[in-house]
Amino acid sequence: MGRVRTVLVKPWVIGVLVLAVAGAGFGLYWFQPWKLWQDETVQEALPETVNASKEPAQAPSDEPSAPAPAGPVTLASGELISHEHATTGTVRLVRLADGSHVVRLEDLDTSNGPDLRVWLTDAPVKAGRAGWGVFDDGEYVSLGKLKGNKGSQNYVVPEDVDPARFSSLSIWCDRFDVSFGAAELARA
């Protein structure tokens, strides 16, 4: 017992123990492995408009105007494929009656992760490992943090973003620069 106590009080042993505890703490923070067993389910309805207080644009009275669609219109859609983690669901790019756009994830099922984002991108969707890291190579716009790894949810496309410039969507892990899953957006 005395020999163990003598070894444990040496400065280098204390330093190694402090480094091991700090390394374990950093590793837990960085990887957040408990999220693999935690599911966050979100069930949102498709909104009618993004901002109810926004007035629809009025055409001048001397110009004929085409009637606006009465409800949401799907402009593009696609099925999610798996990349780093098994991912399924449907993606829809929707124009709402007020002219705003949302990306809708329906029946999403993927793993949870430490820093997941929803990205509209111009990158082609590639199957397998070839598609894991291509989405940050070109143009992309982040629509925000993934609200939940399961369910149906909506992401507002900012007004200054032209959704026609983007051809795919990725569930992107910003912490590790890898796609959990992606969908090619086929125009309707």
Side-chain angles (χ1 to χ4, degrees):
M1 186 70 142
R3 183 176 279 192
V4 171
R5 182 177 294 159
T6 303
V7 169
L8 289 179
V9 295
K10 291 189 179 191
W12 67 269
V13 172
I14 293 172
V16 167
L17 289 174
V18 167
L19 284 175
V21 169
F26 177 76
L28 287 172
Y29 164 76
W30 190 253
F31 289 98
Q32 298 179 0
W34 58 87
K35 286 196 170 188
L36 291 174
W37 296 281
Q38 293 178 336
D39 288 330
E40 295 178 37
T41 301
V42 174
Q43 293 295 343
E44 293 180 330
L46 182 64
E48 291 298 316
T49 60
V50 171
N51 185 352
S53 66
K54 183 178 173 182
E55 293 292 322
Q58 298 292 325
S61 59
D62 59 342
E63 292 181 22
S65 62
V73 175
T74 299
L75 302 176
S77 63
E79 293 295 319
L80 287 163
I81 65 167
S82 299
H83 280 150
E84 171 69 16
H85 291 266
T87 302
T88 60
T90 302
V91 177
R92 291 175 42 207
L93 174 61
V94 179
R95 183 179 60 231
L96 301 176
D98 66 354
S100 61
H101 295 88
V102 296
V103 168
R104 178 154 175 84
L105 303 178
E106 294 178 332
D107 302 320
L108 174 66
D109 188 2
T110 191
S111 298
N112 208 340
D115 193 12
L116 298 181
R117 307 289 174 151
V118 177
W119 280 11
L120 275 176
T121 77
D122 65 353
V125 176
K126 300 176 185 177
R129 286 188 66 94
W132 286 16
V134 300
F135 298 101
D136 61 349
D137 295 342
E139 187 177 358
Y140 64 88
V141 63
S142 177
L143 302 181
K145 288 189 173 236
L146 186 69
K147 297 174 184 177
N149 64 310
K150 296 188 180 300
S152 297
Q153 47 211 271
N154 306 301
Y155 296 86
V156 176
V157 177
E159 287 184 27
D160 62 340
V161 171
D162 178 9
R165 291 188 357 231
F166 300 99
S167 58
S168 60
L169 178 129
S170 174
I171 307 297
W172 184 258
C173 180
D174 220 16
R175 171 93 30 102
F176 295 105
D177 291 330
V178 67
S179 174
F180 273 35
E184 194 77 38
L185 295 174
R187 300 295 171 194

